[in-house]
Amino acid sequence: MDKLKLKKLIDVAAGRVPADMVIKNAKIVDVYQGCIKEGDIAICDGAIAGIGDYEGTRILDAKGRYVAPGFIDSHIHIESSYLTPEEFGKLLVPCGATTIIADPHEIVNVCGNTGLQYMLDASENTALDIKFMIPSCVPATPFEHAGAMIDAASMESPIKDERVLGLGEFMNYPGVVNGSDDVLDKLLIAHNEGKLIDGHSPALAGKDLNAYAAARIHTDHECATVEEMNERISRGIYVLLRHGSACKDLRNLLKGVTSYNSRRCLLCSDDRQPKTIFEEGHLDNHIRICIEEGIDPIVAIQMATLNAAECFGLSDRGAIAPGLRADLVLFNNLEEISVSEVLIAGEVVAKDGEYLLPVIHHDSSMVRGSFHVKDFSKDKLRLPLKGDFAHIIDIQKDSVVTKKSIAKVKRNEHGEFVYDERLAIAKIAVVERHQNTGNVAVGLIRGYGITSGAIALSIAHDSHNIITVGVSDEEMEFAVNALLAQGGGIVAVKKGKVLESMPLPIGGIMSDKDGKWVEEKVTKIHEVSYKELGIQLSVEPIMTLCFMSLAVIPELKITDMGLFDVTKFEFLPIDAEQNELSELE
């Protein structure tokens, strides 16, 4: 801000000159004191000049509506919406979002720092203020092949960008706890620049958690229980209460939110699809859930505004006070939080659910064409077993956490696994698509519910290789080949026919279309997944599957290199012995 603008802001605040805009007759949500005040909000050059009784060149009559600070999503992956930053902003802003903290580790796993630069550039074309965290673990583990390798040296330049707040979720928590040399180098990159470090430490406890916190890990969004939440808060770690399209920890964790610890709690989505946004909303939905669960409405709004701003050092926002950005949300009812208007930097950018600005797309040619698959065929999908028992990935309801199980399976005369609908165990495979390794890993999954055909995605966190589930090698082979032919995305097939598909040409993980197009495609894929493929109605067929290769979420996952035991951080043979059943139980 230059001297003239500062002088003008002070003059408007003092009432000596009229404001650029005044919001009249407002019920102002004071997140500092936890109360509601009535009055005007004066805006000057995109900032709040004052609260009280003001005149301005433009008047926005709130007509008794509530005005809250703009909502801040404390952790989200834009790419998981299958949208570009421009289109993502178009969806979120009408829901009240004015700032998000984005971790672009999906596109960076595919395209490296080129992907990060694309996201930074594209984010300039939306009213939504997008702050970034540099992906800290690319690949997420050394037990898979990604499209890039980001080491400490690769972080030195982008960490200096003012739009970058720090390092994204540090998923290699064993590396932190054990003080691994390469991990220490990455941590010091953030420390030396005075930047933050997001955490990711499911089930970590005791002295291991102490070691993680000692590395100045600032946040964690992977708490599944109140006990985990409380332990992290007591170690000085902010807890991000997650409610996304697949992971829904919010209601459970709210049971542990108190008047003492609520200021260390934030709201986040992590991953949220357009379908979910159209049907439920964004942080407005999170706040409604908080209120339903008995949280005071102002405390809920604090978790989506002031708490997030303070956590991430965004001292220019998060509340309604003189000198802060005029990021504001208007709504009629303090319990229902139905957003009617949104202002970002003092400008009305959304009204009655509609984004008011034109959408201009940044050139995405630098992050297209990213499929390098070597010698794939159905022969690589064969699964010979030594006996009738095998380790399987067990899906858990409303979660991407899986259970490591052992089950009796059916084999053919050659000793190879064959699908049996009565057992509800299907074949899952990951096909490496970045480095022409020819890797194809095959495992077994239960709880997905597929009874016909196959489904294949090129969205498979975090390395985004191809992942497929099906009832036969032929169906799975057809699905993978159809996916490659369309340049990535999602396909659902049955009996040698593509039932529905959604191409994702940007890195194989994002569409070049708008949110409505993506939402309609996802809805159709859901329909055929449930009606034609028999996938269980309790399972979100896309989001659930794309997390089955994330080898940092317990207990059992699969990468292009094999079945991976996350609790032991080592590969696990597919074969199992019957006597191992009692050990797991």
Side-chain angles (χ1 to χ4, degrees):
M1 182 184 295
D2 60 32
K3 185 183 289 188
L4 288 176
K5 284 189 175 181
L6 179 57
K7 177 66 165 60
K8 180 184 174 185
L9 179 64
I10 292 171
D11 285 342
V12 171
R16 289 188 288 266
V17 299
D20 298 338
M21 174 190 285
V22 175
I23 301 177
K24 289 278 189 181
N25 305 311
K27 293 177 180 176
I28 302 165
V29 180
D30 185 341
V31 292
Y32 291 128
Q33 297 194 95
C35 64
I36 305 296
K37 294 183 175 181
E38 295 190 5
D40 303 339
I41 303 171
I43 298 171
C44 173
D45 290 330
I48 298 167
I51 299 168
D53 182 12
Y54 284 94
E55 297 302 323
T57 56
R58 288 185 292 159
I59 301 297
L60 194 166
D61 191 349
K63 298 180 180 178
R65 285 177 292 174
Y66 292 89
V67 183
F71 304 151
I72 303 171
D73 195 316
S74 55
H75 176 74
I76 196 165
H77 303 286
I78 295 171
E79 307 96 306
S80 291
S81 70
Y82 321 129
L83 298 175
T84 61
E86 306 95 326
E87 293 292 346
F88 197 55
K90 180 181 175 182
L91 282 195
L92 293 197
V93 169
C95 299
T98 57
T99 304
I100 63 171
I101 315 300
D103 183 344
H105 70 205
E106 321 300 353
I107 192 66
V108 174
N109 265 280
V110 176
C111 303
N113 276 343
T114 300
L116 173 61
Q117 190 59 53
Y118 163 74
M119 297 297 280
L120 286 165
D121 293 342
S123 71
E124 296 297 315
N125 290 349
T126 173
L128 181 67
D129 193 6
I130 303 177
K131 304 298 185 184
F132 287 93
M133 306 295 279
I134 295 176
S136 62
C137 301
V138 177
T141 72
F143 307 107
E144 57 194 320
H145 290 87
M149 175 75 73
I150 302 296
D151 57 12
S154 305
M155 299 174 175
E156 289 180 355
S157 177
I159 196 77
K160 299 179 188 297
D161 193 301
E162 64 180 10
R163 296 167 292 180
V164 172
L165 303 183
L167 296 187
E169 52 182 307
F170 221 102
M171 294 179 285
N172 185 6
Y173 55 88
V176 175
V177 172
N178 294 320
S180 301
D181 194 60
D182 62 327
V183 167
L184 296 178
D185 288 339
K186 292 179 179 180
L187 296 173
L188 287 172
I189 288 288
H191 291 172
N192 293 339
E193 288 294 329
K195 300 287 179 94
L196 305 174
I197 306 170
D198 272 340
H200 173 117
S201 61
L204 203 64
K207 289 183 177 179
D208 285 348
L209 181 60
N210 287 340
Y212 197 63
R216 287 176 24 205
I217 304 296
H218 197 63
T219 69
D220 198 342
H221 61 276
E222 289 294 342
C223 294
T225 67
V226 169
E227 291 73 24
E228 287 180 332
M229 179 181 79
N230 288 336
E231 193 172 11
R232 279 152 184 74
I233 291 174
S234 72
R235 301 307 193 272
I237 296 173
Y238 281 91
V239 172
L240 316 185
L241 282 61
R242 173 174 57 189
H243 190 78
S245 290
C247 302
K248 301 175 182 179
D249 302 308
L250 178 58
R251 288 189 189 274
N252 182 46
L253 296 179
L254 285 171
K255 296 178 176 66
V257 174
T258 70
S259 59
Y260 296 102
N261 68 16
S262 66
R263 295 283 277 110
R264 304 294 290 186
C265 298
L266 284 61
L267 302 180
C268 83
S269 299
D270 200 3
D271 301 285
R272 203 158 179 89
Q273 294 180 342
K275 179 177 172 61
T276 310
I277 297 167
F278 279 117
E279 292 177 353
E280 300 176 6
H282 178 227
L283 290 188
D284 53 332
N285 175 238
H286 293 57
I287 295 170
R288 286 191 291 270
I289 290 172
C290 290
I291 296 168
E292 288 172 10
E293 295 296 324
I295 302 296
D296 181 272
I298 298 179
V299 172
I301 291 170
Q302 279 180 333
M303 292 194 290
T305 57
L306 182 62
N307 296 9
E310 290 181 344
C311 172
F312 287 96
L314 301 174
S315 59
D316 64 343
R317 68 197 71 190
I320 300 175
L324 300 186
R325 276 171 57 107
D327 292 351
L328 305 166
V329 179
L330 282 72
F331 48 88
N332 291 322
N333 187 295
L334 195 56
E335 277 71 39
E336 295 177 0
I337 315 295
S338 179
V339 175
S340 56
E341 283 180 81
V342 181
L343 286 77
I344 295 181
E347 296 298 324
V348 179
V349 292
K351 186 173 183 179
D352 298 329
E354 294 296 324
Y355 186 69
L356 301 179
L357 303 182
V359 177
I360 302 171
H361 295 97
H362 184 73
D363 178 25
S364 62
S365 58
M366 67 179 77
V367 287
R368 291 183 178 237
S370 55
F371 287 85
H372 309 282
V373 176
K374 179 183 178 182
D375 298 332
F376 174 73
S377 70
K378 69 177 182 181
D379 288 339
K380 290 190 174 183
L381 297 171
R382 294 172 54 248
L383 185 58
L385 296 169
K386 297 176 182 177
D388 292 332
F389 289 85
H391 290 108
I392 63 169
I393 299 169
D394 246 334
I395 290 176
Q396 306 298 293
K397 188 177 185 295
D398 288 336
S399 176
V400 296
V401 173
T402 58
K403 184 179 178 182
K404 178 174 65 175
S405 300
I406 293 172
K408 188 174 183 180
V409 298
K410 184 177 179 180
R411 297 188 296 160
N412 62 18
E413 64 274 17
H414 304 294
E416 297 175 0
F417 170 85
V418 290
Y419 173 77
D420 185 338
E421 185 175 342
R422 294 169 298 178
L423 300 177
I425 297 171
K427 190 177 287 187
I428 183 171
V430 175
V431 181
E432 196 277 322
R433 62 115 163 172
H434 302 293
Q435 300 182 26
N436 272 322
T437 63
N439 282 5
V440 177
V442 183
L444 298 173
I445 190 166
R446 180 167 59 188
Y448 194 63
I450 193 166
T451 59
S452 299
I455 188 167
L457 325 172
S458 57
I459 319 146
H461 300 290
D462 279 324
S463 292
H464 297 289
N465 288 304
I466 295 168
I467 191 164
T468 179
V469 170
V471 300
S472 72
D473 296 349
E474 291 76 15
E475 296 276 31
M476 294 169 73
E477 178 190 42
F478 182 78
V480 171
N481 286 333
L483 188 73
L484 291 171
Q486 72 177 26
I490 307 167
V491 296
V493 307
K494 183 177 179 180
K495 296 180 179 179
K497 179 182 178 182
V498 175
L499 300 178
E500 192 54 71
S501 67
M502 181 170 71
L504 298 175
I506 301 176
I509 58 175
M510 288 186 284
S511 172
D512 54 4
K513 303 291 194 299
D514 65 15
K516 192 61 181 175
W517 183 89
V518 169
E519 189 268 341
E520 290 173 354
K521 276 292 185 182
V522 169
T523 297
K524 290 177 181 178
I525 291 169
H526 281 183
E527 289 174 355
V528 300
S529 295
Y530 297 135
K531 295 179 181 179
E532 299 290 337
L533 304 187
I535 293 173
Q536 290 186 12
L537 292 175
S538 60
V539 172
E540 203 290 344
I542 302 168
M543 193 73 84
T544 301
L545 182 56
C546 72
F547 276 103
M548 292 302 106
S549 61
L550 185 51
V552 293
I553 299 289
E555 292 180 333
L556 194 61
K557 295 294 190 290
I558 183 170
T559 77
D560 67 294
M561 296 169 66
L563 200 60
F564 192 75
D565 187 333
V566 182
T567 58
K568 295 182 178 179
F569 234 57
E570 63 185 23
F571 287 104
L572 183 72
I574 188 72
D575 288 290
E577 299 294 334
Q578 185 174 2
N579 58 15
E580 294 180 68
L581 276 170
S582 58
E583 296 177 14
L584 285 179
E585 293 170 354

